[in-house]
Amino acid sequence: MAERSFKHEVQKLRAGAGAEFQGEGILAVTKALLQSGVAYVGGYQGSPVSHLMDVLADASEILDELGVHFESSASEATAAAMFGASVHYPLRGAITFKSTVGTNVASDALSNLASGGVTGGCLVILGEDYGEGSSIIQERSHAFAMKSQMWLLDPRPSHSALVDAVQKGFELSEASRTPVMLTMRVRTCHAHGRFLAQDNVRPSFTLKEAIENPRRGVERMALAPATFQHEHEKVHERWPAATRFIREHGLNEVFESFEAIGCSVGLMVQGGLYNTLIRALELMGLADIWGTARLPIYVMNVVYPVVDEEVVEFCEKYQAVLMLEEGQPEFIEQTLQTVMNRADVATRIHGKDLLPRAGEYTTLVMMKGIRKFLQRYAPTLLKIVPVDAGVAAMLAPKVIPLIPSMPGVALQDVPGVLPRPPSFCTGCPERPLFTAIKLVEREIGKHYVSADIGCHQFAALAPFDFGATSMGYGLGAAGAAALNVEGAGRRTISVMGDGGFWHNGLTSGVGNAVFNKSDNLIVVVDNGYSAATGGQDILSSRAKNEKRTTKMSIEGAVRGTGVNWIRTVSHTYNLKKMMTAVREALTTNDLGPKVLIAQSECMLNKQRRVKPLMRKKIAQGERVVTERFGIDADTCTGDHSCIRLSGCPSLSIRPNPDPLRKDPIAVVQSSCVGCGLCGEVSHAAVLCPSFYRTELVSNPGRGERLWARITGAITAWLQRRLSAREFVHVA
């Protein structure tokens, strides 16, 4: 069950030539693929391109009509290996996944592909997860493109430019026999826009034809000595072919200044940063609202390879040029310096000397860098354009206090709202697992915990504070492999999700533990989906999927690798069972790897599935019962173990109604989904009896309404008596 359905939007993909197409960036990319005659598409979900996978899944009927094969790949490496179909055949293929972690996973397949080259066009659509919206390590795809000699597109965040980049990307790949990478940032993926559509095109050469007419050429395989020849081909044939195509088809763009002011400076920018640059220039009075600037701009929609001739032609006209390149190292800036030196051009190239070396280039960051640049080379531009007072205030130097986000760091003189670390969703079934570990550790001591990528990584933060390392998706158990010493006083705990388990963890984690006779505990969090990437189905999902195989057993797969000690807790909210399983795994005398499967459906996906059904039943007049939990204010002691041991967002505090008690009491907010963990936690910790469960009944029967009136009247009478007694006592 994906986070969002595109069942209605995908009908736009049928638009023909001349029709105006409107929608999100990911829909525009899908339409561009169909217009390009793509034969097959694969990929692995991950921000910011998760929805591209969802769009393709929802568009299965349209893909089938065009003869396009689509696979939701088991991993990024699986997706990249699909390009093997384009090595000997004129088949256009596209894959998509999150960068840079996805590129790292797929590196083996991509490196082999780039070495031998391709016949059909190959396009890798990368979610360039960098900057403020990122959820991963801060790296760029540029280094990988340079390392493997794959061309890297970074188109302007315009739907027409994006569609053109997809279509030209295939042509560039075929012209240079090289796979092409196309990066999309978060804002580009989800920005809404429009462009003139073209007709969808069936693949000119089909997968069926490829299967029925086998081809091979051992010289295209990455086998020595062919690999040495491949390197020469890359440099002496494919690279020149790529630069010729880029130049002849105008993939990069030059926007001249709109008025003849004898400008002696120019700007160069990665295509993906173009909109931010124009906004910065507009705020500085150097561009109008339509994007026409007072400064000439060279837009690099292709950031690798750099086309030397274009760079020289642009730069030699100016005294100085500012290169706006986000991230580090400054690959493009270094290349520009080399090009200028070899061409003996005196133009000064600036970049990271005036702009931050690391971090996202926001509008404000760009404004400050451009201002420094113009103050040095074109101060008259700053004088003839009046600067808005608000903009001037933003550009003024400021001392911004650092708000620490790490535990144990004291806050001093920092006004405003304190930082709030990210956490699990309300009612998340993974909370009780970490609560159980925390309570068991009170009995038998602390353990080293190797974490993994996924929702469960939030356990590294308060209130659980679990997890010392996170080495990669599905590598939780592998991250603890070295911490496996015979005779050690305690076992190491490692955690992985069900998505990570099928992605990589079954072999690199569980299989490796069996092979090396590890005696540690591996916890597999089975919430039924690839939840962290948007709730896509995986092999062990319990839902029926017409296009995919589901309902496969994690326990069966683990047992098949040779694990003997396996426990499955099918309802993680039962804290006593969860604690018993954890305690047994950490104290048993049985040798060999221990695998604990913590199994409950992702609450977010469950609510997406259940709430529409409940609303429908209520609208039809059916009786619907919803559970909620509450806290008795008179009983609550203010200990707050419920919050400290579960951290649920629906739990908060409020002033104590008892004037004789100062400690604030806990309160359950209306966002509660009735999972019951907070009460379980309190009782398991033997600290608090104040929780109660209540049932909200929609469309109650006649008897229930009568009973509610009777109990309500009795309760009101008792409350009046209690209030009167308290008044007499005070008087």
Side-chain angles (χ1 to χ4, degrees):
M1 182 182 190
E3 180 180 348
R4 179 183 167 193
S5 172
F6 289 86
K7 283 291 186 183
H8 298 295
E9 288 94 328
V10 295
Q11 297 307 315
K12 298 177 182 179
L13 299 175
R14 299 182 184 278
E20 185 179 69
F21 187 98
Q22 298 184 38
E24 283 190 58
I26 46 175
L27 281 167
V29 169
T30 310
K31 176 60 175 167
L33 292 174
L34 300 183
Q35 293 177 175
S36 301
V38 69
Y40 62 93
V41 188
Y44 192 83
Q45 58 273 1
S47 173
V49 289
S50 288
H51 285 342
L52 180 53
M53 296 295 294
D54 299 335
V55 169
L56 290 164
D58 287 338
S60 59
E61 182 179 335
I62 299 173
L63 298 181
D64 291 343
E65 291 172 6
L66 293 170
V68 179
H69 175 70
F70 167 64
E71 278 197 9
S72 182
S73 307
S75 72
E76 296 88 348
T78 308
M82 288 180 71
F83 278 147
S86 296
V87 171
H88 300 296
Y89 303 99
L91 291 164
R92 287 187 169 182
I95 60 171
T96 182
F97 43 73
K98 177 193 194 77
S99 180
T100 57
V101 289
T103 313
N104 294 339
V105 173
S107 61
D108 196 5
L110 292 177
S111 294
N112 277 273
L113 183 77
S115 180
V118 297
T119 300
C122 292
L123 188 67
V124 186
I125 301 168
L126 295 173
E128 189 72 347
D129 200 0
Y130 184 86
E132 181 187 7
S134 174
S135 60
I136 59 163
I137 48 181
Q138 293 294 279
E139 292 183 359
R140 299 160 63 194
S141 305
H142 203 112
F144 191 95
M146 295 172 66
K147 181 268 295 181
S148 292
Q149 299 286 275
M150 295 174 63
W151 317 138
L152 182 61
L153 309 185
D154 188 9
R156 280 191 298 121
S158 155
H159 275 30
S160 57
L162 188 61
V163 170
D164 189 57
V166 171
Q167 297 181 170
K168 293 295 183 185
F170 281 117
E171 296 176 24
L172 172 61
S173 177
E174 291 163 346
S176 60
R177 299 185 52 248
T178 302
V180 171
M181 303 163 75
L182 184 150
T183 58
M184 294 181 67
R185 292 166 174 78
V186 173
R187 295 175 181 85
T188 307
C189 286
H190 302 300
H192 284 256
R194 61 187 69 191
F195 64 94
L196 286 180
Q198 300 172 18
D199 289 332
N200 295 334
V201 178
R202 293 182 64 87
S204 57
F205 188 84
T206 66
L207 292 166
K208 183 175 183 293
E209 290 177 282
I211 295 169
E212 294 174 349
N213 299 278
R215 299 179 187 176
R216 71 183 297 270
V218 70
E219 72 281 355
R220 291 300 104 205
M221 298 181 69
L223 289 169
T227 49
F228 305 111
Q229 182 62 35
H230 294 166
E231 184 182 20
H232 285 275
E233 284 182 9
K234 286 181 180 180
V235 175
H236 300 300
E237 297 177 23
R238 301 184 210 165
W239 193 334
T243 54
R244 280 197 304 271
F245 183 92
I246 294 165
R247 188 166 170 76
E248 290 171 4
H249 290 80
L251 268 61
N252 295 318
E253 302 169 284
V254 175
F255 296 99
E256 299 289 353
S257 56
F258 68 81
E259 57 184 26
I261 55 176
C263 190
S264 63
V265 295
L267 302 176
M268 300 180 73
V269 65
Q270 295 171 260
L273 300 178
Y274 176 78
N275 288 6
T276 307
L277 170 60
I278 291 299
R279 176 59 175 159
L281 293 175
E282 181 198 343
L283 289 172
M284 297 177 71
L286 298 173
D288 61 24
I289 60 173
W290 308 109
T292 308
R294 291 177 181 266
L295 294 170
I297 304 172
Y298 176 64
V299 182
M300 302 181 73
N301 293 314
V302 183
V303 293
Y304 185 77
V306 172
V307 182
D308 296 3
E309 297 85 354
E310 288 185 354
V311 169
V312 171
E313 288 173 8
F314 179 80
C315 293
E316 64 183 359
K317 296 181 288 186
Y318 308 109
Q319 178 188 1
V321 169
L322 177 64
M323 177 68 226
L324 294 127
E325 176 185 6
E326 188 175 58
Q328 51 78 39
E330 57 272 29
F331 296 117
I332 304 175
E333 184 184 341
Q334 292 173 11
T335 302
L336 297 183
Q337 298 284 8
T338 302
V339 171
M340 292 295 99
N341 181 57
R342 288 178 178 171
D344 197 22
V345 176
T347 304
R348 293 293 304 275
I349 304 294
H350 291 275
K352 297 296 184 184
D353 55 336
L354 301 177
L355 287 150
R357 295 191 62 83
E360 185 175 11
Y361 278 9
T362 62
T363 302
L364 182 58
V365 168
M366 284 194 178
M367 288 168 64
K368 290 182 177 180
I370 294 169
R371 187 173 181 82
K372 290 178 186 176
F373 178 67
L374 295 179
Q375 283 173 339
R376 182 178 300 186
Y377 292 102
T380 54
L381 271 178
L382 296 175
K383 293 178 181 177
I384 64 172
V385 180
V387 179
D388 180 84
V391 175
M394 285 194 293
L395 292 173
K398 295 180 181 178
V399 178
I400 303 176
L402 176 66
I403 301 180
S405 59
M406 299 298 291
V409 180
L411 294 173
Q412 295 182 348
D413 301 322
V414 181
V417 179
L418 297 179
R420 180 179 181 180
S423 186
F424 298 99
C425 300
T426 300
C428 176
E430 299 180 17
R431 290 180 188 278
L433 164 64
F434 298 107
T435 299
I437 296 175
K438 197 162 188 174
L439 291 172
V440 170
E441 282 192 333
R442 287 184 176 182
E443 305 170 12
I444 61 177
K446 290 283 186 180
H447 290 68
Y448 182 90
V449 179
S450 174
D452 206 330
I453 305 298
C455 297
H456 41 84
Q457 195 173 15
F458 289 138
L461 305 173
F464 303 112
D465 301 317
F466 283 128
T469 55
S470 180
M471 302 309 295
Y473 193 37
L475 295 177
L483 302 171
N484 176 37
V485 180
E486 188 175 349
R490 60 192 61 192
R491 294 183 170 110
T492 295
I493 303 172
S494 59
V495 183
M496 70 175 77
D498 45 358
F501 172 85
W502 293 114
H503 179 276
N504 197 12
L506 177 59
T507 53
S508 66
V510 179
N512 183 71
V514 172
F515 184 66
N516 289 287
K517 296 185 177 181
S518 169
D519 193 39
N520 291 330
L521 168 61
I522 301 171
V523 180
V524 180
V525 183
D526 179 13
N527 58 32
Y529 308 88
S530 181
T533 61
Q536 293 82 9
D537 282 340
I538 53 179
L539 277 165
S540 51
S541 295
R542 266 80 79 187
K544 184 179 180 181
N545 190 315
E546 299 295 335
K547 294 285 184 179
R548 308 283 178 264
T549 297
T550 54
K551 302 182 181 179
M552 302 300 289
S553 169
I554 290 178
E555 182 174 336
V558 169
R559 197 174 299 280
T561 64
V563 177
N564 296 317
W565 196 103
I566 306 172
R567 299 291 185 273
T568 298
V569 179
S570 59
H571 184 66
T572 61
Y573 299 103
N574 189 326
L575 197 57
K576 290 183 179 179
K577 283 188 177 180
M578 201 78 252
M579 289 178 64
T580 299
V582 171
R583 187 185 297 110
E584 183 184 356
L586 295 176
T587 59
T588 180
N589 292 325
D590 292 352
L591 298 178
K594 266 68 67 177
V595 175
L596 170 60
I597 303 170
Q599 192 178 73
S600 277
E601 184 180 8
C602 165
M603 182 58 73
L604 196 61
N605 270 18
K606 181 179 180 179
Q607 293 300 315
R608 290 192 186 112
R609 177 173 56 80
V610 170
K611 281 186 176 180
L613 298 176
M614 294 177 65
R615 285 194 294 266
K616 183 178 180 180
K617 287 183 178 181
I618 292 172
Q620 293 174 345
E622 295 183 38
R623 181 179 181 272
V624 174
V625 179
T626 307
E627 285 190 344
R628 288 290 185 271
F629 284 76
I631 298 173
D632 184 356
D634 293 330
T635 310
C636 179
T637 62
D639 175 81
H640 303 151
S641 62
C642 52
I643 297 174
R644 287 185 287 106
L645 292 172
S646 80
C648 183
S650 67
L651 287 171
S652 186
I653 58 173
R654 68 181 180 190
N656 202 313
D658 189 337
L660 300 178
R661 294 158 60 191
K662 295 182 179 180
D663 292 333
I665 62 169
V667 62
V668 180
Q669 306 279 15
S670 59
S671 60
C672 171
V673 295
C675 73
L677 174 61
C678 47
E680 286 271 345
V681 163
S682 299
H683 296 313
V686 197
L687 290 171
C688 180
S690 63
F691 278 83
Y692 63 86
R693 186 184 69 176
T694 187
E695 293 182 345
L696 305 178
V697 182
S698 300
N699 300 320
R702 183 179 300 175
E704 288 177 309
R705 289 195 295 269
L706 175 61
W707 179 247
R709 283 197 295 268
I710 294 172
T711 56
I714 295 173
T715 302
W717 178 72
L718 291 173
Q719 287 177 336
R720 286 195 297 271
R721 288 197 61 187
L722 181 62
S723 298
R725 185 181 304 171
E726 289 178 349
F727 177 77
V728 171
H729 179 72
V730 171

